[in-house]
Amino acid sequence: MPRPVPIGALLLVLACGPAQDQTATTTSVAPATTVSTAPSPPTTADSSPATTAVPSTTTGAPLAGLTYTAVAEELPFPTVLVARPGEDAIYFATKNGQVWKLGEGVILDIGDRVTNSGERGLLGMAFHPEDPTRLFVHYSDGNGDTTVSEFVDDDGGFDATAERIFLQVSQPAANHNGGTIAFGPDGYLWVALGDGGGGGDTFRTGQAAEDLLGGLLRLQVDATEPYEIPPDNPFIDGGGAPEVWAIGLRNPWRATFDEDLIYIGDVGQGNFEEINVAPSSAPALNYGWPVTEGLHCFDPAEGCDLEGFILPVVEVAHSDSGTCSITGGVVYRGSAIPDLTGHYFYSDYCGGWLRSFLFDGAGASQQQDWTEQVGIPGQVVSFGQDASDEIYVLTTDSIFRIDPVR
C-alpha cells in the first residue's frame, strides 16, 4: 500500500465548477428546436440511493465495504488524475498549472500562463492513447479564456516553452468553464465546455449549436495544425460549429468514457445536479440546458417540452446531504473489487459523499451510498484511474484510493 506523500500545503477555494455558483435561478427560457436530437433513454427518477446489500461476484471473501487509502496529501488543489499508457506511475495536475508524477514531483509547470482563480486554472489533462509522449492540457489562460494545448516528452522531460496550442475559446465570465478533455474510443480528443458562466444561461449558448460553449467538442489532433474536424461530426456541413458533437450542457466539469458510453456529470443551477449517460457514437445529442435542469423544466412556471432531450439517469437535489455541485466520476474496471465491475462512482463538491450505480442500458440500477463506510474525505473535486483501472478520489488537498474491505 503506498504511503502518503506530503508535497507542501496550499488550500484553495473553488467557486462553482466544480462548486455550485449562487447566481439567480429565475430566468425564463423557451425550448429551442433548432438542433436535431436523439430520443432520450429511459431515466431513473431522483435520487438518494438506498444503502443496499453489497453484491459479491467472487468465490473468495464477500465484499464487506469500501475504504479510502491516502496516497498523497498537502497538495495544491489536484484537479485531475490519469494513467500514462505503458506506465504504472500515476500522473496528476494541480489547479495552479503544474503536472506531477506521483513520487517524483512536478514534471511540467505552466503556472506562468494559467489564471488560477475561482473556477479557473489547469482543469483537464490527457495523454495520447497511442503516443504517450504527447500530453494534452486544458487550462484558463492569462485572460481567463479556454486553452487546449500539447506538450511533448522528448526524453528530456516536458518543455514548458514548447507548447502547441490547438484550441482557444473566449470565456465571457469567470465560471462554467467545463474541464474534461479525454480521448474517446474513436481516438478523437473530446473537450467538455460550460455555457460561459453567469446564471440561467446568461450568454444563450446552451441551445446554440453554432457556439462552442455549452457543448461537447470532438477534434482530430493527429493531423495538421491546429486540428481537423472528424468527417462524421454532425455539423461539418452546416447547422452548427463543425467542432460540436453535442449541446445543452451547463457545466460538464467531469465526463468519462466507458466502452461505447459517455458519462457526464453536469453541474446544476440552483435545484438539481445530474449524471447523464449516452452512447458516445450518437451525434447531435441535446442534454437540455437551459430548458431543463435535471429531470425538470428549468423554469417550472414557463413549462417545457422534454421530448427530444437526453435526460439524466441520476438526479440529485440540493436538499440531499449538502449537495451543491456534482463531481462526475469513473466506471470501475479494476481487479481489486470485481464485485463492482461496471459500477460508476461519483460524488459532490460540497457534500463529499460517495455513491455508485450500474447503468443497465435503460437507467441506473443497484444504486448505493458508501458514505457511512468511507466517511467524507473533504470537498471532492475529481476522480481518476491508474494503469490497473483502480479508482482514486481527489479532494482540494489530497488523493485517496478506493480499496475493498473483506
Side-chain angles (χ1 to χ4, degrees):
M1 171 180 309
R3 300 178 60 187
V5 182
I7 315 184
L10 177 61
L11 186 63
L12 305 173
V13 177
L14 192 59
C16 66
Q20 171 65 33
D21 64 276
Q22 302 297 319
T23 45
T25 63
T26 58
T27 303
S28 173
V29 182
T33 58
T34 57
V35 179
S36 61
T37 58
S40 302
T43 58
T44 300
D46 179 88
S47 144
S48 301
T51 302
T52 60
V54 180
S56 176
T57 61
T58 65
T59 57
L63 181 64
L66 300 177
T67 188
Y68 284 138
T69 300
V71 298
E73 297 176 308
E74 298 183 339
L75 299 171
F77 210 113
T79 53
V80 58
L81 180 151
V82 299
R84 186 177 185 178
E87 286 190 32
D88 291 331
I90 290 173
Y91 291 80
F92 63 93
T94 49
K95 192 166 168 281
N96 60 358
Q98 295 175 329
V99 176
W100 305 63
K101 184 176 181 179
L102 187 64
E104 295 188 12
V106 177
I107 62 168
L108 175 67
D109 191 339
I110 56 171
D112 59 345
R113 70 209 71 174
V114 173
T115 296
N116 178 20
S117 174
E119 294 183 36
R120 296 167 167 173
L122 177 49
L123 309 177
M125 176 175 71
F127 285 100
H128 193 289
E130 302 297 330
D131 183 358
T133 65
R134 302 176 67 187
L135 173 64
F136 294 80
V137 295
H138 170 191
Y139 66 89
S140 309
D141 69 11
N143 296 318
D145 295 328
T146 290
T147 298
V148 177
S149 65
E150 176 189 14
F151 296 88
V152 176
D153 185 348
D154 61 0
D155 292 329
F158 292 95
D159 182 358
T161 66
E163 179 179 17
R164 179 188 179 195
I165 295 176
F166 281 90
L167 177 72
Q168 292 182 297
V169 182
S170 177
Q171 289 286 351
N175 56 346
H176 305 179
N177 298 288
T180 295
I181 57 171
F183 283 90
D186 50 19
Y188 296 127
L189 183 68
W190 294 56
V191 181
L193 294 181
D195 66 5
D201 195 19
T202 298
F203 304 101
R204 296 296 182 264
T205 64
Q207 292 296 308
E210 68 275 8
D211 200 309
L212 301 188
L213 297 174
L216 283 177
L217 314 183
R218 183 171 176 259
L219 311 175
Q220 166 62 278
V221 294
D222 292 334
T224 57
E225 294 187 36
Y227 55 82
E228 289 187 357
I229 304 299
D232 56 344
N233 271 18
F235 306 112
I236 192 170
D237 294 322
E243 295 90 345
V244 171
W245 182 258
I247 69 167
L249 296 167
R250 181 179 179 273
N251 192 16
W253 166 243
R254 285 292 169 254
T256 190
F257 292 97
D258 180 64
E259 298 178 342
D260 63 341
L261 297 174
I262 184 169
Y263 292 68
I264 305 171
D266 197 12
V267 179
Q269 174 84 35
N271 295 309
F272 302 103
E273 305 297 309
E274 62 184 70
I275 300 290
N276 299 281
V277 184
S280 62
S281 59
L285 299 186
N286 188 333
Y287 291 93
W289 175 255
V291 182
T292 62
E293 182 188 22
L295 295 165
H296 305 267
C297 298
F298 172 59
D299 188 339
E302 291 290 326
C304 67
D305 183 358
L306 300 180
E307 186 176 355
F309 294 125
I310 299 300
L311 298 178
V313 299
V314 167
E315 171 192 88
V316 186
H318 282 199
S319 58
D320 181 351
S321 304
T323 295
C324 77
S325 174
I326 202 79
T327 301
V330 293
V331 176
Y332 184 75
R333 295 290 176 188
S335 59
I337 323 173
D339 320 69
L340 298 175
T341 295
H343 289 242
Y344 174 82
F345 284 82
Y346 64 105
S347 186
D348 180 79
Y349 181 76
C350 295
W353 38 257
L354 180 67
R355 296 175 182 175
S356 67
F357 66 83
L358 179 68
F359 182 70
D360 60 11
S365 65
Q366 300 185 38
Q367 297 190 61
Q368 297 191 55
D369 191 324
W370 305 92
T371 312
E372 185 175 348
Q373 297 175 9
V374 300
I376 295 177
Q379 294 169 300
V380 176
V381 176
S382 190
F383 286 75
Q385 289 169 295
D386 62 18
S388 300
D389 291 325
E390 300 303 326
I391 294 180
Y392 295 75
V393 174
L394 284 63
T395 68
T396 54
D397 63 356
S398 299
I399 297 174
F400 300 87
R401 189 179 60 243
I402 297 177
D403 287 331
V405 176
R406 298 193 184 277

